[in-house]
Amino acid sequence: MSQVARAPGRVNLIGDHTDYTGGLVLPMAIDRHTTILFERSDDVSATSSNFDGQVRFDLPVVDASAVQPAWGRYIAGVAGAMNERNMTPRGFTGAVATTVPIGGGLSSSAALEVAAALAFGIDADVATIAAVCRRAEHLATNVPCGIMDQLASLSGVKDHALLIDCHSLDVTPIRIPDSLAVWVVEISSRTLDGSEYPARVAQCAVAEREIGPLRMADVQSANRIVDPVVRARARHVVTENERVRQFAAALMAGDFRAAGQLMIASHASLRDDFATSTTQMDAAVEHYSQVPGVYGVRMTGGGFGGCIVVLADDDAAIDAAINGMRVHAADGASLTTPLS
Ligand code: GLA
């Protein structure tokens, strides 16, 4: 009997590079999905409609990062991460397909990991599944990512963004009013593998050794950090956490102008203090921030390329001015048995 594991990508409205210090993020799962149509089998074999080659490995998996072709590493990483927790992944023969743009900063890898976890028959609460899939990313690529993408893919709620406390893992859905539109504009395709992402994670760890957990720090203590680079990184994280809080409040109060200004401030902080933007992203943010009806725009996700996100009025005239992909907040991952 075949089954379908389905997991969405995500776009982050605000709160970047805060998750791996247990901070606040506000992503939404989007109406672009990765699916795995599968049947049970003893080992694992998968094909992809987006990539060449067939992935094959036996369970338990030995080295996820060596699996070929490379897209299969995310699947193998999930099996490896389940094994580390003494969970037993069940094998499958599957066909993978995705509508999540790959390498665009919309968490195509997290969507594949979450879909794979469901196909492996994982039986755990959402926070544990997200932690397994986060670990899978580490095993597959060595990128020390946080938990935002996997948790957003699992916990999505239609028409809602998700305020996530990455320390407690509490998820609070926040309704996105019908009068708003969320757009994603791809600036460049990239992966975080080989980027400065691990360096940023390390710099935040250095800051925490000096002033304690960044999620509890204030900007005055961040500004006392001696090393100027570490100081700037810490200042971004501390101010970004505060912006997420204020953005959630503004969205709930219907104050879209205030929400948009916070997105613009978030971009400036990622550009100046966290140095994860690019000149093309800066130019696109500048351009779209001038478009009437646009409230806010910023780089989204890990950065170093990828996407910007635009929050605007839902209005045909504005649609015409945005050369991007309109996305809608979608429900989280699911496992279903198709009717035959
Ligand atoms: C990537 C990581 C996330 C998060 C963002 C930046 O998407 O996978 O864990 O750190 O970058 O906010």
Side-chain angles (χ1 to χ4, degrees):
M1 189 183 57
S2 58
Q3 290 181 282
V4 180
R6 176 181 156 100
R10 66 95 188 97
V11 64
N12 193 20
L13 297 180
I14 195 162
D16 271 310
H17 290 278
T18 48
D19 61 347
Y20 47 81
T21 47
L24 301 175
V25 295
L26 214 152
M28 64 188 219
I30 58 173
D31 51 347
R32 301 289 190 285
H33 295 85
T34 294
T35 55
I36 306 179
L37 173 66
F38 68 96
E39 309 261 352
R40 281 277 161 248
S41 67
D42 291 338
D43 48 19
V44 178
S45 104
T47 54
S48 163
S49 58
N50 305 83
F51 292 103
D52 291 338
Q54 184 175 25
V55 170
R56 281 178 168 283
F57 57 88
D58 293 333
L59 295 169
V61 67
V62 180
D63 178 4
S65 68
V67 165
Q68 293 287 356
W71 60 269
R73 293 174 191 170
Y74 298 102
I75 300 175
V78 175
M82 288 177 72
N83 285 138
E84 285 181 351
R85 288 180 179 243
N86 292 322
M87 298 172 173
T88 308
R90 300 173 65 200
F92 63 83
T93 299
V96 181
T98 193
T99 56
V100 184
I102 291 155
L106 298 180
S107 295
S108 51
S109 59
L112 178 54
E113 289 149 9
V114 170
L118 298 182
F120 281 127
I122 197 166
D123 181 16
D125 58 89
V126 160
T128 304
I129 301 174
V132 164
C133 292
R134 174 191 184 187
R135 174 71 182 143
E137 181 99 19
H138 300 178
L139 292 174
T141 66
N142 277 323
V143 175
C145 69
I147 203 163
M148 165 169 70
D149 306 346
Q150 294 81 4
L151 199 50
S153 179
L154 282 154
S155 331
V157 179
K158 190 175 185 311
D159 299 330
H160 291 70
L162 309 167
L163 173 60
I164 303 178
D165 178 326
C166 296
H167 180 69
S168 66
L169 303 185
D170 284 343
V171 179
T172 310
I174 297 185
R175 168 110 186 141
I176 301 177
D178 292 338
S179 62
L180 287 182
V182 178
W183 291 83
V184 170
V185 180
E186 187 177 336
I187 305 299
S188 61
S189 183
R190 59 98 180 97
T191 68
L192 291 176
D193 209 356
S195 76
E196 286 181 35
Y197 186 98
R200 296 294 179 279
V201 174
Q203 287 157 346
C204 288
V206 171
E208 294 204 312
R209 283 200 286 279
E210 197 167 330
I211 63 167
L214 289 175
R215 69 188 168 83
M216 302 194 312
D218 57 23
V219 76
Q220 287 78 15
S221 48
N223 277 333
R224 280 198 292 272
I225 292 176
V226 178
D227 181 279
V229 172
V230 176
R231 186 193 313 144
R233 306 298 188 246
R235 187 167 52 220
H236 164 71
V237 175
V238 170
T239 57
E240 185 80 346
N241 282 331
E242 185 53 29
R243 280 186 290 270
V244 175
R245 265 184 217 104
Q246 292 180 7
F247 182 94
L251 203 57
M252 286 190 285
D255 190 348
F256 309 143
R257 242 168 255 290
Q261 286 308 310
L262 289 159
M263 292 174 75
I264 303 273
S266 167
H267 183 80
S269 179
L270 286 158
R271 180 192 62 209
D272 301 338
D273 277 347
F274 220 71
T276 49
S277 188
T278 63
T279 46
Q280 294 98 313
M281 295 175 110
D282 294 343
V285 166
E286 176 64 25
H287 169 76
Y288 283 110
S289 65
Q290 308 297 324
V291 173
V294 166
Y295 292 109
V297 47
R298 58 186 286 281
M299 60 147 279
T300 181
F304 310 107
C307 292
I308 61 168
V309 59
V310 181
L311 187 72
D313 276 327
D314 184 5
D315 178 308
I318 301 167
D319 294 3
I322 302 180
N323 184 14
M325 181 173 92
R326 172 103 186 247
V327 291
H328 296 88
D331 283 329
S334 63
L335 183 66
T336 53
T337 306
L339 299 172
S340 51

